[in-house]
Amino acid sequence: MALPVHLRDSVTPQELEMIACQQLIEIVPLIAMEKTAFISGAYGPLRPPSKAKLPLWMAVNLKLKKKCHIIAPDWLNVEHLQDRLAQEVAKPDAFSDLPFRFSEISKVLLDVASDDLENPDQLRSLLKDLREARQAKSREGLKHLDHSELGLTGLSSMEINEIRPFFVQSMNVLTKIARSSET
Amino acid sequence: MDADADTGPAAARPAAPLQEEEPQTPLQQMMRHWVNERHAPDILPAQEGLMMGLLDHLRRQTRSVQVLRDDPTSSESEHIRIHLVQTEIERVRFVIRSYVRTRLYKIEKYARYITSNAEIQTRLTASERDYASKHARLTDQHLYLSVLQSLPPAQAHLDDTAVFSPSMVTVPDKTRPIFVHALQDCPPVRLPDGATLEMKKGHISLTPYHVVEQLLERGEVELV
């Protein structure tokens, strides 16, 4: 078969992570490297200890070889996430404003570069709280589902992927009901 | 994927380090087409030029890696550099492969429909059209030889349009809901319930595919 069954209706979290790893992040390199032309663009030169911007997957690659420190994006710190969590609780009908791929990026960074982050454990628990608060809201959205449209602005890519199978199927059923009540 | 980090109206959010800047590189475009293709129930217009460009680039990168690797005097940082270039080659290959396979899957699924529909053929490359007609011919032949030839002639068709049963030819289900993300302010579109929807930049909606089909073709929205 051209496409395995589990890839037909949705993308996988691994694929989302791969897409997110294309985004740029700042690092402090520990090795020198000439400017190099990659397919996604030219990166470098790396001159320790000055900062450089690379795609996240390259940063992860270097980090695993202990050749760089990753600088956390400025939304990934305890203070900022606490603020978002407070907003999340204060505003029951809106999602707080987080980067579209925050969950993939924070997972990758916590997995490979937790020593470059401040308070990784607290970050983990904040991200978990955020996830739960947001999940409750997106499920609440199911109440408003009809056959034509459901606005979900602010939802992140991983969260969309999580609710996709159920929401798509529900809307499909509603479409069928709407169509049969027309005729 | 440029607007990914910027989905909300409050652009003042300090997420700048992870934002990709315009204009989009061929790889970013390819990845967007790949994800769109994965989510869309219909076959989207082929991106032959874009893909050929990337494949050429892949070949060039592979060649230069080969040259560098054959050089025994390279230092440790050279090795890391080569390794990174190779990793990227694999990543790009993965995207292109997945894109082509997704299209092949849809072509096999809709093969009979493609052979009878001129509009959808304009969205395929020459080799994809060829593949579709071959696939349709093979399955037809197989069905005829294994079952249909022993049935009464009246029941031996593959394209009956009986009144109360679903069509025998699989067509793309354009009512399938998809998640859509507006890349810019979009002109209003009509929803199935008669209302109109005007998406601002960053808007995310769950809506049937046919609602945003044209916006998608013009690149004003992406599927997520």
Side-chain angles (χ1 to χ4, degrees), chain B residues 50-76:
Chain B
L50 183 62
M51 201 169 82
M52 288 307 154
L54 271 174
L55 287 174
D56 273 348
H57 203 157
L58 273 177
R59 269 190 287 272
R60 285 202 301 277
Q61 290 286 87
T62 319
R63 247 201 315 272
S64 43
V65 163
Q66 209 58 46
V67 172
L68 283 170
R69 264 219 307 218
D70 294 342
D71 180 5
T73 58
S74 57
S75 60
E76 192 206 354

Side-chain angles (χ1 to χ4, degrees), chain A residues 97-173:
Chain A
D97 198 8
L98 281 162
F100 187 58
R101 303 191 189 276
F102 81 94
S103 106
E104 296 92 313
I105 291 167
S106 54
K107 178 183 179 298
V108 170
L109 291 181
L110 282 165
D111 279 356
V112 303
S114 58
D115 54 330
D116 289 340
L117 302 170
E118 279 175 54
N119 293 322
D121 292 329
Q122 209 182 341
L123 284 177
R124 279 198 189 95
S125 91
L126 272 169
L127 284 165
K128 197 161 172 247
D129 290 347
L130 266 172
R131 178 185 136 88
E132 277 163 16
R134 292 166 66 93
Q135 203 172 35
K137 279 184 208 176
S138 60
R139 289 191 179 155
E140 199 67 9
L142 204 52
K143 275 189 195 157
H144 308 287
L145 190 68
D146 60 16
H147 69 282
S148 61
E149 194 257 339
L150 180 68
L152 290 161
T153 302
L155 209 59
S156 78
S157 100
M158 198 58 95
E159 289 162 331
I160 289 174
N161 217 44
E162 196 174 359
I163 63 171
R164 184 187 327 270
F166 191 70
F167 274 53
V168 164
Q169 211 185 352
S170 313
M171 203 181 219
N172 255 335
V173 171

Side-chain angles (χ1 to χ4, degrees), chain B residues 124-170:
Chain B
L124 304 183
T125 64
S127 48
E128 283 172 339
R129 276 196 296 274
D130 200 33
Y131 182 77
S133 59
K134 271 189 200 149
H135 190 276
R137 203 166 53 236
L138 274 175
T139 39
D140 280 10
Q141 232 165 41
H142 169 68
L143 288 172
Y144 177 77
L145 291 175
S146 56
V147 183
L148 297 174
Q149 61 176 348
S150 22
L151 291 181
Q155 291 164 11
H157 298 295
L158 278 168
D159 47 6
D160 287 343
T161 41
V163 191
F164 290 110
S165 58
S167 162
M168 289 177 79
V169 180
T170 315

Side-chain angles (χ1 to χ4, degrees), chain B residues 11-214:
Chain B
R13 171 172 30 83
L18 285 170
Q19 259 169 26
E20 287 141 306
E21 50 284 306
E22 302 278 358
Q24 286 220 313
T25 64
L27 179 59
Q28 284 169 326
Q29 291 174 33
M30 190 70 227
M31 289 181 86
R32 175 169 295 163
H33 286 299
W34 165 51
V35 177
N36 285 347
E37 194 71 65
R38 285 288 291 275
H39 290 308
D42 203 357
I43 303 181
L44 301 175
Q47 303 295 328
E48 211 175 4
L50 183 62
M51 201 169 82
M52 288 307 154
L54 271 174
L55 287 174
D56 273 348
H57 203 157
L58 273 177
R59 269 190 287 272
R60 285 202 301 277
Q61 290 286 87
T62 319
R63 247 201 315 272
S64 43
V65 163
Q66 209 58 46
V67 172
L68 283 170
R69 264 219 307 218
D70 294 342
D71 180 5
T73 58
S74 57
S75 60
E76 192 206 354
S77 75
E78 270 311 281
H79 277 296
I80 289 175
R81 200 164 140 198
I82 296 169
H83 180 75
L84 286 178
V85 174
Q86 273 178 324
T87 312
E88 187 184 46
I89 290 174
E90 290 309 317
R91 288 172 64 91
V92 177
R93 278 202 188 134
F94 172 84
V95 171
I96 294 180
R97 195 156 43 215
S98 179
Y99 174 76
V100 173
R101 290 179 71 165
T102 310
R103 290 182 66 86
L104 270 188
Y105 159 66
K106 290 186 195 175
I107 288 167
E108 287 177 5
K109 190 167 159 189
Y110 307 131
R112 291 200 101 248
Y113 176 69
I114 293 168
T115 51
S116 63
N117 184 305
E119 192 274 326
I120 197 171
Q121 286 178 17
T122 62
R123 283 180 263 146
L124 304 183
T125 64
S127 48
E128 283 172 339
R129 276 196 296 274
D130 200 33
Y131 182 77
S133 59
K134 271 189 200 149
H135 190 276
R137 203 166 53 236
L138 274 175
T139 39
D140 280 10
Q141 232 165 41
H142 169 68
L143 288 172
Y144 177 77
L145 291 175
S146 56
V147 183
L148 297 174
Q149 61 176 348
S150 22
L151 291 181
Q155 291 164 11
H157 298 295
L158 278 168
D159 47 6
D160 287 343
T161 41
V163 191
F164 290 110
S165 58
S167 162
M168 289 177 79
V169 180
T170 315
V171 300
D173 174 17
K174 294 194 182 188
T175 61
R176 195 172 101 193
I178 40 91
F179 287 88
V180 59
H181 173 213
L183 297 167
Q184 57 183 78
D185 294 349
C186 298
V189 284
R190 182 165 285 279
L191 295 173
D193 65 0
T196 53
L197 170 68
E198 204 177 330
M199 290 187 282
K200 293 263 170 281
K201 184 179 177 191
H203 184 97
I204 296 176
S205 255
L206 175 66
T207 194
Y209 174 72
H210 64 84
V211 173
V212 293
E213 197 180 353
Q214 254 133 45

